[in-house]
Amino acid sequence: MSLNKYRIALLGNPNVGKSTIYNYLCKENQHTGNWAGKTVDSAIGTFMYNDNLYEVVDLPGIYSLNTCSDEEVISKQYLESKEYDLVVVVIDAYVIERSLLLYQQVCDITSNVLLVINLYDEAIKRGMYIDRSKLLEYLPYPHVIMSAKNKGDMEYLKSYMCSLLPFTSNRQIDINIPILLKECITQDIRKQANIIDKVLTHRVLGPIIMFLTLLTILYLTIVLANYPSSLLSYIFSKGEILLISILNMIGSSNWLIDLIVNYIYRILSLVIAVMLPPMVIFFPLFALLEDIGYLPRIAFNLDYYFQKVGASGKQALTICMGYGCNVVGIMGSRIIESQKERILAMITNVFTPCNGRFPTLIAIISMFLVSSVSSWKSALLLAVTLCFSLIITFLGTEGLRRLLKYPKDNEYILELTPYRTPDLKQILKDSLFNKTFKIMLRAVLVVIPTSILIYVGEHIIISNASILQHVCSVLEPIGNLMGMDGVMLVSFIIGMMANEIVLPICIMLYSSYGIVSDYSLVFLKELLITNGWTLTTALCALIFTVIHFPCINAVIAIYKETKSLKYTLLSIVYPTVIGVVLCVFINALMQLIW
Amino acid sequence: MRTLLDLKVDEKGTIVGIDNKCKLKQRLIDLGIVNGSDVICVLDSANHNPKAYQIKNAVFALRSSLSQYIVIE
């Protein structure tokens, strides 16, 4: 039997269930978001059907092929390349009118088109009805009316799609949209924004609800992360003793035991025990907010302030992406139409503490800034820290705009997409399994080479001190001025590899020549205090964690997106300067009042 | 001449023109915001800027700087 290979491209407006279809077809887990432009890069997956191989390309969500934004350019170029056998245009049944415009534009480029009218169930609920037999008459081209949530519909789509290939008809698609709409669609116009929207965007209630939502998420993250965290630190501290005895038993040399136990194992266990649990727990909670469709309302509430600093209101969305990962926030800035606003959004995205920095913030807050163990107080302080980071983002954007002499360019449109029922199974699968696995893999990949580097740095002795000690002592005065020390600055610099290793490396450097008996925060706090940490140190570390140079991946992403050395350098220097100045100021202030 | 800016929450209008000064005119057209479309103001924010409008089943947040260009009847 001969195996044929076909390529299918998925195209459509943002938030029409394209990614849901893609996930179903390819069974590959790709995150679906509820706002414009979540698919930051086109994803590619494959599936087998009736002994044929199908490759599916998930193009970014776009509104038209008129090439206003970069994502539209990408999609248009792809369509014109004709490197596909079928284009599947996915549309939301409820906004069929404007969606058909996109369909028509695609048909101008190719005739190999399948139109998928999705989300029909939701459209029916909102009083819309499509006459299927009439539609066949006015749209005599391949099309499917369906709901991606329905498994039967999806199976039908799959078989229908595959039956179209190889695509035989070459006839030009020609439809008359106004007549089609008039003849096939009946609906009663209802007001979309309901009481929920009114409350969520209310001038007083809106911000309060935003803050309470944030607080609740952070509280749940802190509380829920405690259990796996204490279990993991127990396991790892027992494991250290076991590991040493195993290494001794097989007769490893002392330097190898030192390297493996005191460096690799120690940093790795700190990353996994202290950093991993909050990362894994925060993610599904935030993804839930995203899937429900709350984020565009946040963007709406905050938009006035974004206008004030001359930023795009869509920056609220890229900031939200940044809480997950700054690289995603930087790439996601493509949804911003204006090139200048995009650059502002990309460079200031680093002021948003990413998932890799959250655990550091949580650890510092719960060790030094709350007296008793109170998750509510920690959550509140963390929420305050996030508000602080938001304010810094606003001010930082304004400052950067003035520095680059960009004019205020205020035109902008944001679709407030309807609320959708979140797919809990997908979110949990995505975050608890894929995310955990990815973070673990990254931790291992980063920690092993960094540990070896640190080991080498600590063991090459030049004039009575190791290289690392020399570096630390050079940085010590700057660190002191910033309320911290040389070791911490070194940790931040090495942490460019990945933000989640900053605190583990710092702790490891402090504890080089002793056995870490456990990895609980109580023990770590004692260790830090022994090494001279005070309230001021904690405060400055907190600030510098929020405001410092981006990690290496973010720098690469900025370079890829801007193709400009100037902006890439600026993205490193700008936040660093602000962070250093602010730390020096806070340190001086604390010395005065303390 | 009335523009989208003049609509208060729950007020309705019909779009009769988009000023050429509007840089995002093409984008508005792509979104189905064209002459003859009915529009309802559905949400307002603390500073009356932005406001959200329902046009052809979809809800859009527009800033004053943009909605001033959209002429209604």
Side-chain angles (χ1 to χ4, degrees):
Chain A
M1 193 177 284
S2 71
L3 179 124
N4 291 311
K5 196 179 158 190
Y6 298 108
R7 193 180 277 166
I8 299 165
L10 286 178
L11 187 87
N13 288 171
N15 194 37
V16 290
K18 237 164 25 80
S19 297
T20 312
I21 294 176
Y22 172 81
N23 282 335
Y24 184 85
L25 290 176
C26 301
K27 307 272 183 238
E28 191 195 289
N29 286 293
Q30 199 228 1
H31 196 65
T32 55
N34 204 9
W35 73 68
K38 183 64 214 262
T39 312
V40 286
D41 242 335
S42 50
I44 298 176
T46 54
F47 70 96
M48 295 287 294
Y49 192 76
N50 286 346
D51 290 323
N52 288 325
L53 180 70
Y54 297 88
E55 192 177 74
V56 187
V57 180
D58 188 16
L59 294 169
I62 54 165
Y63 285 110
S64 90
L65 291 175
N66 280 323
T67 62
C68 288
S69 73
D70 284 24
E71 310 215 298
E72 289 168 5
V73 176
I74 295 170
S75 300
K76 190 169 188 187
Q77 277 170 353
Y78 186 79
L79 288 182
E80 281 170 348
S81 74
K82 306 244 170 159
E83 280 170 3
Y84 48 83
D85 301 283
L86 180 72
V87 180
V88 178
V89 177
V90 187
I91 68 169
D92 178 351
Y94 200 59
V95 290
I96 190 163
E97 186 172 346
R98 75 144 191 254
S99 311
L100 285 175
L101 292 172
L102 178 67
Y103 173 65
Q104 222 169 19
Q105 287 173 346
V106 175
C107 295
D108 287 339
I109 298 176
T110 173
S111 55
N112 301 10
V113 188
L114 164 65
L115 179 67
V116 174
I117 304 172
N118 193 18
L119 297 165
Y120 186 47
D121 55 339
E122 299 207 11
I124 292 174
K125 270 189 230 154
R126 287 185 272 158
M128 180 181 225
Y129 171 73
I130 301 176
D131 187 331
R132 287 172 193 253
S133 56
K134 278 217 166 138
L135 194 66
L136 272 176
E137 192 183 318
Y138 289 92
L139 185 74
Y141 310 99
H143 69 260
V144 183
I145 302 174
M146 59 171 279
S147 309
K149 258 187 248 156
N150 185 320
K151 270 215 164 115
D153 279 9
M154 291 295 274
E155 274 306 311
Y156 174 73
L157 172 70
K158 193 171 173 178
S159 64
Y160 181 63
M161 195 166 73
C162 295
S163 73
L164 289 172
L165 289 164
F167 207 87
T168 44
S169 159
N170 253 331
R171 108 196 124 114
Q172 177 68 37
I173 296 175
D174 180 30
I175 52 166
N176 186 326
I177 295 175
I179 292 182
L180 185 153
L181 291 172
K182 201 172 146 236
E183 293 295 326
C184 311
I185 313 277
T186 43
Q187 60 174 322
D188 46 1
I189 294 281
R190 287 184 202 174
K191 238 182 81 189
Q192 286 281 304
N194 48 25
I195 184 78
I196 301 173
D197 261 333
K198 289 250 159 87
V199 174
L200 291 184
T201 61
H202 189 268
R203 66 195 59 186
V204 182
L205 291 175
I208 294 176
I209 292 171
M210 268 186 342
F211 188 78
L212 288 180
T213 309
L214 182 70
L215 192 63
T216 312
I217 286 189
L218 298 176
Y219 173 73
L220 287 174
T221 305
I222 293 170
V223 169
L224 293 176
N226 268 337
Y227 302 103
S229 201
S230 43
L231 181 68
L232 285 170
S233 43
Y234 177 77
I235 293 171
F236 278 116
S237 52
K238 293 285 171 227
E240 186 169 325
I241 301 161
L242 192 68
L243 185 67
I244 295 173
S245 48
I246 290 173
L247 287 170
N248 275 324
M249 215 162 63
I250 57 171
S252 316
S253 44
N254 280 337
W255 70 268
L256 191 67
I257 296 179
D258 186 29
L259 173 65
I260 293 179
V261 176
N262 289 343
Y263 292 82
I264 300 177
Y265 181 83
R266 194 166 286 176
I267 301 181
L268 208 57
S269 26
L270 280 166
V271 170
I272 293 170
V274 181
M275 311 302 274
L276 185 77
M279 290 167 89
V280 170
I281 298 203
F282 176 77
F283 187 74
L285 294 171
F286 201 75
L288 192 66
L289 272 195
E290 208 182 296
D291 272 23
I292 289 172
Y294 183 41
L295 301 191
R297 278 77 193 171
I298 294 181
F300 184 80
N301 285 343
L302 291 176
D303 190 60
Y304 183 73
Y305 305 99
F306 283 105
Q307 290 187 47
K308 282 274 163 218
V309 299
S312 165
K314 286 184 186 165
Q315 201 173 323
L317 302 183
T318 63
I319 288 173
C320 288
M321 294 183 210
Y323 286 126
C325 170
N326 290 128
V327 174
V328 178
I330 290 161
M331 308 253 289
S333 302
R334 285 181 190 169
I335 58 171
I336 296 168
E337 284 95 353
S338 148
Q339 171 74 17
K340 289 180 174 163
E341 288 174 354
R342 255 187 70 196
I343 285 167
L344 296 181
M346 280 191 279
I347 296 179
T348 55
N349 196 270
V350 67
F351 294 133
T352 304
C354 65
N355 212 346
R357 285 185 268 168
F358 260 78
T360 310
L361 299 178
I362 294 175
I364 294 175
I365 288 172
S366 39
M367 280 189 289
F368 287 92
L369 303 178
V370 287
S371 47
S372 57
V373 180
S374 155
S375 302
W376 268 117
K377 275 188 204 158
S378 300
L380 190 66
L381 277 174
L382 189 56
V384 170
T385 311
L386 293 191
C387 291
F388 164 75
S389 81
L390 191 63
I391 292 168
I392 290 293
T393 307
F394 284 128
L395 297 177
T397 307
E398 174 74 16
L400 190 62
R401 191 178 58 75
R402 288 190 184 180
L403 191 73
L404 295 170
K405 298 193 172 65
Y406 286 171
K408 275 191 192 177
D409 182 10
N410 264 333
E411 286 188 21
Y412 123 110
I413 313 163
L414 176 72
E415 181 169 7
L416 298 183
T417 45
Y419 298 103
R420 304 234 196 273
T421 324
D423 187 347
L424 287 176
K425 221 175 86 191
Q426 179 73 28
I427 293 178
L428 285 177
K429 210 171 89 184
D430 219 33
S431 45
L432 294 185
F433 295 98
N434 301 345
K435 193 82 176 170
T436 311
F437 179 73
K438 266 190 200 156
I439 299 173
M440 297 268 266
L441 186 71
R442 204 169 82 123
V444 173
L445 286 179
V446 172
V447 164
I448 292 174
T450 339
S451 314
I452 295 173
L453 191 80
I454 296 175
Y455 179 83
V456 172
E458 278 200 332
H459 285 79
I460 297 179
I461 312 284
I462 303 168
S463 56
N464 292 331
S466 69
I467 296 181
L468 211 62
Q469 278 167 333
H470 281 301
V471 177
C472 286
S473 53
V474 167
L475 290 173
E476 188 73 20
I478 309 171
N480 287 341
L481 206 59
M482 290 167 64
M484 296 184 280
D485 57 32
V487 170
M488 288 166 75
L489 289 189
V490 167
S491 311
F492 272 112
I493 292 166
I494 299 174
M496 259 191 110
M497 302 291 290
N499 272 304
E500 56 266 39
I501 65 171
V502 173
L503 197 61
I505 285 185
C506 185
I507 289 164
M508 196 230 68
L509 290 177
Y510 283 145
S511 67
S512 283
Y513 301 103
I515 287 179
V516 175
S517 58
D518 74 78
Y519 294 93
S520 66
L521 288 183
V522 182
F523 174 81
L524 297 181
K525 182 181 176 179
E526 262 171 49
L527 181 78
L528 293 174
I529 289 175
T530 328
N531 282 281
W533 275 51
T534 59
L535 185 64
T536 311
T537 323
L539 206 58
C540 291
L542 197 73
I543 291 168
F544 205 61
T545 302
V546 176
I547 316 167
H548 72 293
F549 40 81
C551 74
I552 197 82
N553 289 317
V555 174
I556 293 171
I558 288 177
Y559 181 72
K560 273 191 189 158
E561 292 296 306
T562 59
K563 295 267 183 295
S564 149
L565 217 54
K566 179 186 140 196
Y567 292 130
T568 312
L569 275 176
L570 193 62
S571 75
I572 301 171
V573 175
Y574 186 66
T576 310
V577 169
I578 296 180
V580 170
V581 170
L582 209 60
C583 282
V584 170
F585 175 74
I586 294 290
N587 182 34
L589 198 71
M590 291 295 281
Q591 305 295 346
L592 273 180
I593 58 174
W594 215 242
Chain B
M1 191 177 74
R2 270 169 35 103
T3 67
L4 269 193
L5 263 187
D6 301 315
L7 284 187
K8 293 198 176 67
V9 172
D10 291 338
E11 286 182 352
K12 292 180 190 180
T14 306
I15 296 174
V16 291
I18 303 170
D19 196 312
N20 282 330
K21 273 186 245 139
C22 175
K23 273 176 270 169
L24 291 179
K25 188 169 178 177
Q26 183 59 47
R27 163 98 334 166
L28 289 171
I29 294 166
D30 292 337
L31 290 169
I33 305 174
V34 291
N35 291 355
S37 313
D38 289 327
V39 47
I40 313 170
C41 179
V42 285
L43 293 174
D44 196 357
S45 62
N47 298 290
H48 306 297
N49 180 17
K51 284 183 189 175
Y53 305 90
Q54 181 182 338
I55 301 158
K56 288 191 181 142
N57 292 349
V59 179
F60 300 100
L62 299 181
R63 287 179 180 171
S64 305
S65 51
L66 181 57
S67 47
Q68 65 177 355
Y69 292 132
I70 302 174
V71 185
I72 53 157
E73 229 163 38

